[in-house]
Every structure is written in C-alpha cells, then in structure tokens.
Amino acid sequence: MRRAFLKKCAAAGGLALLGPSAWKELFMGEGAPGLDMGFRDDAPEKLDRFSRPAAFAVRRGRLVQCVLCPHACILGENDRGYCRTRVVKDGVLQTVAYGNLCTAALDPVEKKPLYHFLPGRPILSVAIGGCNLRCLNCQNWEISQRRPAEVAEQEAFPEELVELAVRRKIPLLAYTYSEPIVWYEYVRDTAALARRRGLRNVLVTAGFIHPRPLRELCPSIDAVTLDVKALTPALFRRISTARVEPVLRALRILREEGVWVEVSFLMVPTLSDSPDEIGRFAGWVAENLGPGTPLHLLRFHPANRLLQLPPTPIEEMEQARRRARESGLDFVYLGNVAGREAGSTYCPRDGRLLIERDGMEVVENHLVGGRCPCGEVIPGVFT
Ligand code: SF4
Ligand SMILES: [Zn+2]
C-alpha cells in the first residue's frame, strides 16, 4: 500500500522530470532508488525546536529525495524516512533529530571500542533515536528503532553539549549507541564546534552513508569505530537489510581522509562466525586499510530478534583471532570476553605486552611516545 502510494506520487510528477544522466548522478550506480522506503504520513503535525532543514536533500517535483545514505528515500509530503529521523513538511526535508538526546553517558574510550586512540580517556557519549539499518542482533533496538521524539530524554544543543564537556574537562565526544549518520546535522554542528573548543570527536557507526556527506564530515572527526556486519554481500543483507559495498567504500574514504579507524565485527553464531568469513574480512582490512588497523571481534549475546541463539563460544573466537592474524592483521582483540589477554595490546615485533587491559580498564601502559620500548611504532593516536 505504501509502495503503491509512493509510486502514484512519482507518476504524478516528480520522478518523470529526471533524465538518465540525473538518475546516474544521483544513485551512483547503486541500484533502485528508495521508492518503497520510509513511512507514509508519519510526520509530526508541527515541527518543534528539534527540527532543522536536512542536509543532502534533492527536490523532485512534488517529492523530495534524501541522498544522505544509500537508501535514497523518495518521500512525499508528511512522509518519514526509513531511518525515522527525516520528514517532509511543506515540501522541505527536515531532520527531527537535533538536540533531543535519548542517552548521554560518560564511558571510557575503550568502550567504543577504541584501543589505539588516547587509551584510558573518558568520553562523553550521546545518542538520538533512529537508524538506517534493521540488524537482527541490534543490542540497542529500543532506541535505534524508534522515532527520536519517542525516546528523547534530555535536551542538549551543540553549544550546550560542548560547554558541558569543556566545563567538566572531558576531552572527547562520541556520537554512538544508535546510528549517528542519521542525525548527521547534529553531529556535523557539534563536532565542528567541539573541535574549535579543543575537543576531539569519535563516531561509532555502521558506515552506511553516501561518499559526499562522509567526506564533508571527516575534517571534524578524529576517530571512527566502524561495525561491519559481514563481508559476504548476501550475509550482510540478511543481518542488516542493507548492502555491504557502501560500507566498505566508507572505510576506504575514512582511510583516505586520514581519520583513525578501528573496525569491529560481531561473531553471531550460525551467521557471521565462520573462520572463513572472518579470515577473508581480515584480509580485506589488511589490504585496504593496512595491517596496523585494529580489529575487534565481538562476542555475541542473545538480543533483539536472535534471542534463540547462544553466546559465541570462546574457543571459536580464539580460532577466529588466529585466522585474522594469519590473514595479515597485527592487532586483533576479543570484545565482551573476560580476561586480560583478550583486550591487551602486544608489540607485533617482539611480542611485548604494551597496554594491559582488564575489560574496559587500562591497567598499565608501557608505550613511550606511541612506540614499544624496542622502537616499533604502534599505529594509532596516543598523545
Ligand atoms: S538517511 Fe534516512 S531518510 Fe535519508 S536516505 Fe537514509 S534512511 Fe532515507
Ligand atoms: Zn616491541
């Protein structure tokens, strides 16, 4: 019914205006546009103070297209995008996710996970409801699969959030827990302001974004944890309903733009836990991002629509770590696993223990100016 409605809108005017080259430019060869994406007639009656004109919107006759992420939703008046954070009002695409936080917490930076970026520092971590993926295993579905207004708990516009961090001497801000890409305008403005006040910004994302918005954000972002669901396209789609190619492209862009990147990979039993999948993915990371890129293999715990599955067996995780190392990566960590060895950093040259961690806590740090005492440079941002 929704699809039929939107197709009717397309036939009514907007899409017919596009010639073949415009289509190509818009979608960059990424497949069908988002005619069947989004929620019909789901916009609020009135916009409130958490609304702003959305970035990356293209007018198509009576319709509006969002080109922030590869879903490329095509929306009519009062429709809401697939991510739930964008609506069309009076013919203009508006974000409704600007300052209405659902979460604000103080974490250690290791929780993102980031192990080669200012170890042990506190990071003020915020979220707004909404997401452009539908992952079967989502741990945070109670905020990611909701409209921002449904889960908003507190108000913090960019100036207020940055001021809070500065006043409390918290050096880092993280945009995390749900999917910060879909509250792009808030991240963009907050990160730019934070940078001007001497803070650093961290994005925790699944990386499903178009190249231009990502490149425009990069100058304000210092580090990214990017969670990749799988390398095999069909498996990625099954877990998340999205495509893996834009995510791999985002990783390459971040690398090109000089943003520090760590990659996480959740080992979901029977889905994304095969040593072969992980070995191939580690090989891709080593080849495209470099052997010094940290890979965090995360233990699955039953959540959301996968409550029937068991936690990932520890032996399987250790086997996967061996495969990832054999595939060319120097730093492979096991997340959500007890014991110091799983999350500690060792020198790839002489095997020396460099940063000892107990869970999220840094117990000892033997790095000197980002180097092992043997002289080996450890990739990352340590000062
Ligand atoms: S950001 Fe949201 S509205 Fe825009 S294309 Fe992606 S899912 Fe659709
Ligand atoms: Zn060493």
Side-chain angles (χ1 to χ4, degrees), residues 119-198:
R121 305 293 206 288
I123 187 162
L124 180 55
S125 304
V126 298
I128 298 176
C131 186
N132 53 353
L133 302 187
R134 300 286 185 267
C135 299
L136 297 174
N137 55 276
C138 184
Q139 300 263 2
N140 292 335
W141 62 271
E142 282 157 319
I143 57 170
S144 70
Q145 304 305 317
R146 294 279 186 275
R147 301 179 193 92
E150 280 179 274
V151 290
E153 290 275 339
Q154 45 202 307
E155 174 178 319
F157 293 107
E159 307 72 29
E160 292 162 333
L161 189 70
V162 170
E163 191 54 42
L164 177 72
V166 169
R167 217 174 43 241
R168 300 224 178 149
K169 298 189 173 20
I170 303 165
L172 304 172
L173 289 180
Y175 312 93
T176 178
Y177 302 132
S178 59
E179 175 48 78
I181 284 170
V182 303
W183 21 290
Y184 184 93
E185 296 77 6
Y186 182 76
V187 175
R188 177 197 62 195
D189 296 352
T190 309
L193 186 60
R195 189 52 94 64
R196 290 202 290 280
R197 299 289 303 273

Coordinates of all heavy atoms in Angstrom, one line a residue, residues 119-198:
P119 N 44.3 6.0 24.9 CA 43.8 4.9 25.9 C 43.5 5.5 27.3 O 44.2 6.3 27.8 CB 45.0 4.0 26.0 CG 45.8 4.2 24.7 CD 45.5 5.6 24.3
G120 N 42.4 5.0 27.8 CA 42.0 5.4 29.2 C 41.3 6.7 29.4 O 40.9 7.0 30.5
R121 N 41.1 7.4 28.3 CA 40.5 8.7 28.4 C 39.0 8.6 28.6 O 38.4 7.7 27.9 CB 40.7 9.7 27.2 CG 42.2 9.9 26.9 CD 43.0 10.6 28.0 NE 44.1 11.3 27.4 CZ 45.2 10.7 27.0 NH1 45.3 9.4 27.1 NH2 46.2 11.4 26.4
P122 N 38.3 9.5 29.3 CA 36.9 9.5 29.4 C 36.2 10.1 28.1 O 36.9 11.0 27.5 CB 36.5 10.3 30.6 CG 37.7 11.2 30.8 CD 38.9 10.5 30.2
I123 N 35.1 9.6 27.7 CA 34.4 10.2 26.5 C 33.0 10.4 26.8 O 32.3 9.4 27.3 CB 34.7 9.2 25.3 CG1 34.2 9.8 24.0 CG2 34.2 7.8 25.6 CD1 34.8 9.1 22.8
L124 N 32.5 11.6 26.6 CA 31.1 11.9 26.7 C 30.3 11.3 25.5 O 30.6 11.8 24.4 CB 30.9 13.4 26.9 CG 29.5 13.9 27.1 CD1 28.8 13.2 28.3 CD2 29.5 15.4 27.3
S125 N 29.4 10.4 25.8 CA 28.8 9.6 24.7 C 27.3 9.9 24.6 O 26.6 9.8 25.6 CB 29.0 8.1 24.9 OG 30.4 7.8 25.1
V126 N 26.9 10.3 23.4 CA 25.5 10.7 23.3 C 24.8 10.0 22.1 O 25.5 9.5 21.2 CB 25.3 12.3 23.0 CG1 25.9 13.0 24.2 CG2 26.0 12.7 21.8
A127 N 23.5 10.0 22.2 CA 22.7 9.3 21.1 C 21.4 10.0 20.9 O 20.8 10.6 21.9 CB 22.5 7.9 21.4
I128 N 20.8 9.9 19.7 CA 19.5 10.3 19.4 C 18.8 9.1 18.7 O 19.5 8.3 18.0 CB 19.5 11.5 18.5 CG1 20.2 12.7 19.1 CG2 18.1 11.9 18.0 CD1 20.3 14.0 18.3
G129 N 17.5 8.9 18.9 CA 16.8 7.8 18.4 C 16.9 7.7 16.8 O 16.9 8.8 16.2
G130 N 16.9 6.5 16.3 CA 16.8 6.3 14.8 C 18.0 5.5 14.3 O 19.1 5.5 14.9
C131 N 17.8 4.9 13.1 CA 18.8 4.1 12.5 C 18.4 3.8 11.0 O 17.2 3.7 10.8 CB 19.1 2.8 13.2 SG 20.6 2.0 12.5
N132 N 19.4 3.7 10.1 CA 19.1 3.4 8.8 C 19.3 1.9 8.4 O 19.2 1.5 7.3 CB 19.8 4.3 7.7 CG 21.3 4.3 8.0 OD1 21.8 3.7 9.0 ND2 22.0 4.9 7.1
L133 N 19.6 1.1 9.5 CA 19.7 -0.3 9.3 C 18.6 -1.0 10.2 O 18.0 -0.4 11.0 CB 21.1 -0.9 9.7 CG 22.3 -0.3 8.9 CD1 23.5 -1.0 9.3 CD2 22.1 -0.3 7.4
R134 N 18.5 -2.3 10.0 CA 17.5 -3.1 10.7 C 18.2 -4.4 11.2 O 17.7 -5.5 10.7 CB 16.3 -3.5 9.9 CG 15.5 -2.3 9.4 CD 14.7 -1.6 10.5 NE 13.9 -0.5 9.9 CZ 14.2 0.8 9.9 NH1 15.4 1.1 10.3 NH2 13.4 1.7 9.4
C135 N 19.2 -4.3 12.0 CA 20.0 -5.5 12.3 C 19.3 -6.5 13.2 O 18.7 -6.1 14.2 CB 21.3 -5.1 12.9 SG 22.3 -4.1 11.8
L136 N 19.4 -7.8 12.8 CA 18.7 -8.8 13.6 C 19.2 -8.8 15.0 O 18.4 -9.1 16.0 CB 18.9 -10.2 13.0 CG 18.4 -10.4 11.6 CD1 18.9 -11.8 11.0 CD2 16.9 -10.4 11.5
N137 N 20.4 -8.5 15.2 CA 21.1 -8.7 16.5 C 21.1 -7.4 17.3 O 21.8 -7.3 18.4 CB 22.5 -9.2 16.3 CG 23.3 -8.2 15.4 OD1 23.2 -8.3 14.2 ND2 24.0 -7.3 16.0
C138 N 20.5 -6.3 16.8 CA 20.7 -5.0 17.4 C 20.6 -5.0 19.0 O 19.5 -5.4 19.5 CB 19.8 -3.9 16.8 SG 20.1 -2.3 17.5
Q139 N 21.6 -4.6 19.7 CA 21.5 -4.5 21.1 C 20.8 -3.3 21.6 O 20.3 -3.3 22.7 CB 23.0 -4.4 21.7 CG 23.9 -5.6 21.4 CD 24.0 -6.6 22.5 OE1 23.3 -6.5 23.5 NE2 24.7 -7.6 22.3
N140 N 20.7 -2.3 20.8 CA 20.1 -1.0 21.1 C 18.8 -0.7 20.4 O 18.5 0.4 20.1 CB 21.1 0.1 20.9 CG 22.3 0.0 21.8 OD1 22.2 -0.5 22.9 ND2 23.4 0.6 21.4
W141 N 18.1 -1.8 20.0 CA 16.9 -1.6 19.2 C 15.9 -0.7 19.9 O 15.1 0.0 19.2 CB 16.3 -2.9 18.8 CG 15.8 -3.7 20.0 CD1 16.5 -4.6 20.7 CD2 14.5 -3.7 20.6 NE1 15.8 -5.2 21.7 CE2 14.5 -4.6 21.7 CE3 13.3 -3.0 20.3 CZ2 13.4 -4.8 22.5 CZ3 12.2 -3.2 21.2 CH2 12.3 -4.1 22.2
E142 N 15.9 -0.6 21.2 CA 14.9 0.2 21.9 C 15.1 1.7 21.6 O 14.2 2.5 21.8 CB 14.9 -0.1 23.4 CG 14.2 -1.4 23.7 CD 14.7 -1.9 25.0 OE1 15.9 -1.9 25.3 OE2 13.8 -2.4 25.8
I143 N 16.3 2.1 21.2 CA 16.5 3.5 20.8 C 16.7 3.6 19.3 O 16.3 4.6 18.6 CB 17.6 4.2 21.5 CG1 19.0 3.4 21.3 CG2 17.3 4.4 23.0 CD1 20.2 4.2 21.8
S144 N 17.3 2.6 18.6 CA 17.6 2.7 17.2 C 16.3 2.5 16.3 O 16.3 3.1 15.3 CB 18.7 1.7 16.8 OG 18.1 0.4 16.8
Q145 N 15.4 1.8 16.8 CA 14.2 1.5 16.0 C 13.0 2.3 16.5 O 11.9 1.8 16.6 CB 13.9 0.0 16.0 CG 15.1 -0.8 15.5 CD 15.6 -0.4 14.1 OE1 14.8 -0.1 13.2 NE2 16.9 -0.4 14.0
R146 N 13.3 3.5 16.9 CA 12.2 4.4 17.4 C 12.4 5.8 16.8 O 13.5 6.2 16.4 CB 12.3 4.6 18.9 CG 12.1 3.3 19.7 CD 10.6 3.1 19.9 NE 10.3 2.0 20.8 CZ 10.2 0.7 20.4 NH1 10.5 0.4 19.2 NH2 10.0 -0.3 21.3
R147 N 11.3 6.5 16.7 CA 11.4 7.9 16.3 C 12.1 8.7 17.4 O 11.9 8.4 18.6 CB 10.0 8.5 16.1 CG 9.1 7.8 15.1 CD 7.8 8.5 15.1 NE 6.8 7.8 14.4 CZ 5.9 6.9 15.0 NH1 6.0 6.7 16.3 NH2 5.0 6.3 14.3
P148 N 12.9 9.7 17.0 CA 13.7 10.5 18.0 C 12.8 11.0 19.2 O 13.1 10.9 20.3 CB 14.3 11.6 17.2 CG 14.4 11.1 15.9 CD 13.3 10.1 15.6
A149 N 11.6 11.5 18.8 CA 10.7 12.1 19.8 C 10.2 11.0 20.8 O 9.9 11.4 22.0 CB 9.5 12.8 19.2
E150 N 10.1 9.8 20.4 CA 9.6 8.7 21.3 C 10.5 8.4 22.4 O 10.1 7.9 23.4 CB 9.4 7.4 20.5 CG 8.1 7.4 19.6 CD 8.1 6.1 18.9 OE1 8.7 6.0 17.8 OE2 7.5 5.1 19.4
V151 N 11.8 8.6 22.1 CA 12.8 8.1 23.1 C 13.6 9.3 23.7 O 14.5 9.1 24.5 CB 13.8 7.1 22.5 CG1 13.0 5.8 22.3 CG2 14.4 7.6 21.2
A152 N 13.3 10.5 23.3 CA 14.1 11.7 23.8 C 14.0 11.8 25.4 O 12.9 11.7 25.9 CB 13.6 12.9 23.2
E153 N 15.1 12.0 26.0 CA 15.2 12.1 27.4 C 15.7 13.4 27.9 O 15.3 13.9 29.0 CB 16.1 11.0 28.0 CG 15.6 9.6 27.9 CD 14.8 9.2 29.0 OE1 14.8 9.8 30.1 OE2 14.0 8.2 28.9
Q154 N 16.5 14.0 27.1 CA 17.1 15.3 27.5 C 17.4 16.1 26.3 O 17.6 15.6 25.2 CB 18.3 15.1 28.4 CG 19.3 14.1 27.9 CD 20.2 13.5 29.0 OE1 20.8 14.3 29.7 NE2 20.2 12.2 29.2
E155 N 17.6 17.4 26.6 CA 17.9 18.4 25.5 C 19.3 18.9 25.6 O 19.7 19.3 26.7 CB 16.9 19.5 25.7 CG 17.0 20.7 24.8 CD 16.0 21.7 25.0 OE1 14.8 21.4 25.3 OE2 16.3 22.9 25.0
A156 N 20.0 18.8 24.5 CA 21.4 19.4 24.5 C 21.7 19.8 23.1 O 22.0 19.0 22.3 CB 22.4 18.4 25.1
F157 N 21.6 21.1 22.8 CA 22.0 21.6 21.5 C 23.5 21.7 21.5 O 24.2 21.5 22.5 CB 21.3 22.9 21.3 CG 19.9 22.8 21.1 CD1 19.0 23.2 22.1 CD2 19.3 22.2 20.0 CE1 17.6 23.0 22.0 CE2 18.0 22.0 19.8 CZ 17.1 22.4 20.9
P158 N 24.1 21.8 20.3 CA 25.6 21.7 20.2 C 26.3 22.5 21.2 O 27.3 22.0 21.9 CB 25.9 22.1 18.8 CG 24.6 21.7 18.0 CD 23.5 21.9 19.0
E159 N 25.9 23.8 21.4 CA 26.7 24.7 22.3 C 26.6 24.1 23.7 O 27.6 24.2 24.5 CB 26.0 26.1 22.3 CG 25.9 26.8 20.9 CD 24.8 26.1 20.1 OE1 23.8 25.6 20.6 OE2 24.9 26.2 18.8
E160 N 25.4 23.6 24.1 CA 25.3 23.1 25.5 C 26.1 21.9 25.7 O 26.7 21.7 26.8 CB 23.8 22.8 25.7 CG 23.0 24.1 25.8 CD 21.5 23.8 25.6 OE1 21.1 22.8 25.0 OE2 20.7 24.6 26.1
L161 N 26.1 21.0 24.7 CA 26.9 19.7 24.9 C 28.4 20.0 25.0 O 29.1 19.5 25.9 CB 26.6 18.8 23.8 CG 27.2 17.4 24.0 CD1 26.4 16.6 25.1 CD2 27.1 16.6 22.7
V162 N 28.9 20.9 24.1 CA 30.3 21.2 24.1 C 30.7 21.9 25.4 O 31.7 21.6 26.0 CB 30.6 22.0 22.8 CG1 32.0 22.6 22.9 CG2 30.4 21.2 21.6
E163 N 29.8 22.8 25.8 CA 30.1 23.6 27.0 C 30.2 22.6 28.2 O 31.1 22.8 29.1 CB 29.0 24.6 27.2 CG 29.2 25.6 28.3 CD 30.5 26.4 28.1 OE1 30.9 26.8 27.0 OE2 31.2 26.6 29.2
L164 N 29.3 21.7 28.3 CA 29.3 20.7 29.3 C 30.6 19.9 29.4 O 31.3 19.7 30.4 CB 28.1 19.7 29.2 CG 28.0 18.5 30.1 CD1 27.6 19.1 31.5 CD2 27.1 17.5 29.7
A165 N 31.1 19.5 28.2 CA 32.3 18.7 28.1 C 33.5 19.6 28.6 O 34.4 19.1 29.3 CB 32.5 18.2 26.7
V166 N 33.5 20.8 28.1 CA 34.6 21.7 28.4 C 34.7 22.0 29.9 O 35.7 21.9 30.6 CB 34.5 23.0 27.6 CG1 35.5 24.1 28.1 CG2 34.7 22.8 26.1
R167 N 33.5 22.3 30.5 CA 33.4 22.6 31.9 C 33.8 21.4 32.8 O 34.5 21.6 33.8 CB 31.9 23.0 32.2 CG 31.8 24.1 33.2 CD 30.4 24.6 33.5 NE 29.4 23.6 33.6 CZ 28.3 23.4 32.8 NH1 28.2 24.3 31.8 NH2 27.5 22.5 33.0
R168 N 33.5 20.2 32.3 CA 33.8 19.0 33.1 C 35.2 18.4 32.7 O 35.5 17.4 33.2 CB 32.8 18.0 33.0 CG 31.4 18.4 33.4 CD 30.7 17.4 34.2 NE 29.4 17.9 34.7 CZ 28.4 17.1 34.9 NH1 28.5 15.8 34.7 NH2 27.3 17.6 35.3
K169 N 35.9 19.1 31.8 CA 37.2 18.7 31.4 C 37.2 17.3 30.8 O 38.1 16.5 31.0 CB 38.2 18.8 32.6 CG 38.4 20.2 33.1 CD 39.6 20.2 34.1 CE 40.0 21.6 34.5 NZ 39.0 22.7 34.4
I170 N 36.2 17.0 30.0 CA 36.1 15.7 29.3 C 36.6 16.0 27.9 O 36.1 16.8 27.1 CB 34.6 15.2 29.2 CG1 34.0 15.1 30.6 CG2 34.6 13.9 28.5 CD1 32.5 15.0 30.6
P171 N 37.7 15.3 27.5 CA 38.4 15.7 26.2 C 37.8 15.2 25.0 O 38.1 15.6 23.9 CB 39.8 15.1 26.4 CG 39.6 13.9 27.3 CD 38.4 14.3 28.2
L172 N 36.8 14.2 25.1 CA 36.3 13.5 23.9 C 34.8 13.5 23.9 O 34.2 13.3 24.9 CB 36.8 12.1 23.9 CG 38.3 11.9 23.9 CD1 38.7 10.4 24.1 CD2 39.0 12.4 22.7
L173 N 34.3 13.6 22.7 CA 32.8 13.4 22.5 C 32.6 12.2 21.6 O 33.3 12.1 20.5 CB 32.2 14.6 21.8 CG 32.0 15.9 22.7 CD1 31.4 17.0 21.8 CD2 31.2 15.6 23.9
A174 N 31.6 11.3 21.9 CA 31.3 10.2 21.0 C 29.8 10.3 20.6 O 29.0 10.6 21.4 CB 31.5 8.9 21.7
Y175 N 29.6 10.1 19.3 CA 28.3 10.0 18.7 C 28.0 8.5 18.5 O 28.7 7.9 17.6 CB 28.2 10.9 17.4 CG 28.8 12.2 17.7 CD1 30.2 12.5 17.4 CD2 28.1 13.3 18.3 CE1 30.8 13.7 17.7 CE2 28.7 14.5 18.6 CZ 30.0 14.7 18.3 OH 30.6 15.9 18.6
T176 N 27.1 7.9 19.2 CA 27.2 6.5 19.3 C 25.8 5.9 19.7 O 24.8 6.6 19.7 CB 28.3 6.1 20.4 OG1 28.4 4.7 20.6 CG2 28.1 6.8 21.7
Y177 N 25.8 4.6 20.1 CA 24.7 3.8 20.6 C 23.6 3.5 19.6 O 23.1 2.4 19.5 CB 24.0 4.5 21.8 CG 24.9 4.7 23.0 CD1 24.9 6.0 23.6 CD2 25.8 3.8 23.5 CE1 25.8 6.2 24.7 CE2 26.6 4.0 24.6 CZ 26.6 5.2 25.2 OH 27.4 5.5 26.2
S178 N 23.1 4.6 18.8 CA 22.2 4.3 17.7 C 23.0 4.4 16.4 O 24.0 3.8 16.3 CB 21.0 5.2 17.8 OG 21.4 6.6 17.6
E179 N 22.6 5.2 15.4 CA 23.4 5.4 14.2 C 23.5 6.9 14.0 O 22.6 7.5 13.5 CB 22.7 4.7 13.0 CG 23.4 5.0 11.7 CD 24.9 4.7 11.8 OE1 25.3 3.6 11.7 OE2 25.7 5.7 11.8
P180 N 24.7 7.5 14.3 CA 24.9 8.9 14.2 C 24.7 9.5 12.8 O 24.5 10.6 12.6 CB 26.3 9.2 14.8 CG 26.9 7.8 14.8 CD 25.9 6.8 14.9
I181 N 24.9 8.6 11.8 CA 24.8 9.1 10.4 C 23.4 9.7 10.2 O 23.3 10.7 9.5 CB 25.0 7.9 9.4 CG1 26.5 7.6 9.3 CG2 24.4 8.2 8.0 CD1 26.8 6.4 8.6
V182 N 22.4 9.2 10.8 CA 21.0 9.7 10.6 C 20.7 10.9 11.4 O 19.6 11.5 11.2 CB 20.0 8.5 10.7 CG1 20.3 7.4 9.8 CG2 19.8 8.1 12.1
W183 N 21.5 11.2 12.3 CA 21.4 12.6 13.0 C 22.6 13.4 12.6 O 23.3 14.1 13.4 CB 21.1 12.5 14.5 CG 21.5 11.3 15.2 CD1 20.9 10.1 15.2 CD2 22.6 11.2 16.2 NE1 21.6 9.2 16.0 CE2 22.6 9.8 16.7 CE3 23.5 12.0 16.7 CZ2 23.5 9.4 17.6 CZ3 24.4 11.6 17.7 CH2 24.4 10.3 18.1
Y184 N 22.9 13.4 11.3 CA 24.0 14.0 10.7 C 24.2 15.5 11.0 O 25.3 15.9 11.4 CB 23.9 13.8 9.2 CG 25.1 14.3 8.3 CD1 26.1 13.5 8.0 CD2 25.1 15.6 7.9 CE1 27.2 13.9 7.2 CE2 26.2 16.1 7.2 CZ 27.2 15.2 6.8 OH 28.3 15.7 6.1
E185 N 23.1 16.2 10.9 CA 23.3 17.7 11.1 C 23.7 18.0 12.5 O 24.5 18.9 12.8 CB 21.9 18.4 10.8 CG 21.5 18.2 9.4 CD 20.9 16.9 9.0 OE1 20.7 16.0 10.0 OE2 20.6 16.6 7.9
Y186 N 23.2 17.2 13.5 CA 23.6 17.5 14.9 C 25.1 17.1 15.1 O 25.8 17.8 15.7 CB 22.7 16.6 15.8 CG 23.0 16.8 17.3 CD1 22.6 18.0 17.9 CD2 23.7 15.9 18.0 CE1 22.9 18.1 19.3 CE2 24.0 16.0 19.3 CZ 23.6 17.2 20.0 OH 23.9 17.4 21.3
V187 N 25.5 16.0 14.5 CA 26.9 15.5 14.6 C 27.8 16.6 14.0 O 28.8 17.0 14.5 CB 27.1 14.2 14.0 CG1 28.6 13.8 14.0 CG2 26.3 13.1 14.7
R188 N 27.4 17.0 12.8 CA 28.2 17.9 12.0 C 28.4 19.2 12.8 O 29.6 19.7 13.0 CB 27.5 18.2 10.7 CG 28.1 19.3 9.8 CD 27.1 19.8 8.8 NE 26.0 20.4 9.4 CZ 24.8 20.7 8.8 NH1 24.6 20.4 7.6 NH2 23.9 21.3 9.5
D189 N 27.4 19.8 13.3 CA 27.5 21.1 14.0 C 28.2 20.9 15.4 O 29.0 21.8 15.7 CB 26.1 21.7 14.2 CG 25.4 22.0 12.9 OD1 26.1 21.9 11.9 OD2 24.2 22.3 12.9
T190 N 27.9 19.9 16.1 CA 28.5 19.7 17.4 C 30.0 19.4 17.2 O 30.8 19.9 17.9 CB 27.8 18.5 18.1 OG1 26.4 18.7 18.1 CG2 28.3 18.4 19.6
A191 N 30.3 18.5 16.3 CA 31.7 18.1 16.1 C 32.6 19.4 15.7 O 33.7 19.5 16.2 CB 31.8 17.0 15.1
A192 N 32.0 20.2 14.8 CA 32.8 21.4 14.4 C 33.0 22.3 15.5 O 34.1 22.8 15.7 CB 32.0 22.1 13.2
L193 N 32.0 22.5 16.3 CA 32.1 23.4 17.5 C 33.1 22.8 18.5 O 33.9 23.5 19.1 CB 30.7 23.6 18.1 CG 30.6 24.6 19.2 CD1 31.0 26.0 18.8 CD2 29.2 24.6 19.8
A194 N 33.0 21.5 18.8 CA 33.8 20.8 19.7 C 35.3 21.0 19.3 O 36.2 21.2 20.1 CB 33.4 19.4 19.8
R195 N 35.5 20.8 18.0 CA 36.9 20.9 17.5 C 37.4 22.3 17.8 O 38.6 22.5 18.3 CB 36.8 20.6 16.0 CG 38.1 20.5 15.3 CD 39.1 19.5 16.0 NE 39.0 18.2 15.5 CZ 39.4 17.8 14.3 NH1 39.7 18.7 13.4 NH2 39.4 16.6 13.9
R196 N 36.6 23.3 17.6 CA 37.1 24.7 17.8 C 37.4 24.9 19.3 O 38.2 25.8 19.7 CB 36.0 25.7 17.4 CG 35.9 25.8 15.8 CD 35.3 27.1 15.4 NE 33.9 27.2 15.7 CZ 32.9 26.7 15.0 NH1 33.1 26.0 14.0 NH2 31.6 26.8 15.4
R197 N 36.7 24.2 20.2 CA 37.0 24.3 21.6 C 38.1 23.4 22.1 O 38.2 23.2 23.3 CB 35.7 24.1 22.4 CG 34.6 25.0 22.1 CD 34.8 26.5 22.6 NE 35.0 26.6 24.0 CZ 34.0 26.7 24.9 NH1 32.8 26.7 24.5 NH2 34.3 26.8 26.2
G198 N 38.7 22.7 21.2 CA 39.9 21.8 21.6 C 39.5 20.4 22.0 O 40.3 19.7 22.5

